[in-house]
Amino acid sequence: MWLLKDTCWVLSYKTAGMFMILPTLSVAFYLTYKLRKTTTELLHNLAVCCWIIANSIWMTGEFYANDGYRLYAALFFGLGLLLVAYYYLIAQHKKNQD
């Protein structure tokens, strides 16, 4: 889904790219929900959700706002990075100590 959305973005298929946001996010959130029982899966899938949201905001900004939404996209990219960093710096370390 994500690759299809990004392909539409690269090819400037605005309608198709915008349409693909919902199914892409739906699958990502569904997988996050289904795999939420382990910290590893939960945090990594939440990071993927953040990255898809960021990517979608960036695409929307390029299509309709003269690339004016990059700061908002950067916030979600940063949140995704923080989730992964938390896992590898704190959660994984705690797990290894047990």
Side-chain angles (χ1 to χ4, degrees), residues 30-94:
Y30 174 76
L31 290 172
T32 300
Y33 179 77
K34 290 295 282 186
L35 300 171
R36 72 189 182 281
K37 293 188 176 142
T38 62
T39 303
T40 303
E41 292 294 335
L42 176 63
L43 292 175
H44 282 86
N45 282 310
L46 283 173
V48 167
C49 289
C50 288
W51 292 335
I52 293 171
I53 291 168
N55 187 264
S56 299
I57 291 169
W58 184 5
M59 178 184 71
T60 303
E62 281 193 5
F63 282 166
Y64 300 107
N66 198 26
D67 204 18
Y69 298 161
R70 276 195 193 212
L71 177 61
Y72 302 111
L75 293 172
F76 281 96
F77 278 124
L79 180 58
L81 286 171
L82 285 174
L83 288 165
V84 171
Y86 170 79
Y87 173 73
Y88 285 105
L89 297 174
I90 297 171
Q92 182 68 17
H93 181 70
K94 285 181 183 178

Side-chain angles (χ1 to χ4, degrees), residues 8-22:
C8 293
W9 180 10
V10 168
L11 296 174
S12 295
Y13 296 156
K14 292 180 182 180
T15 303
M18 296 303 293
F19 174 79
M20 286 306 298
I21 292 172
L22 185 60

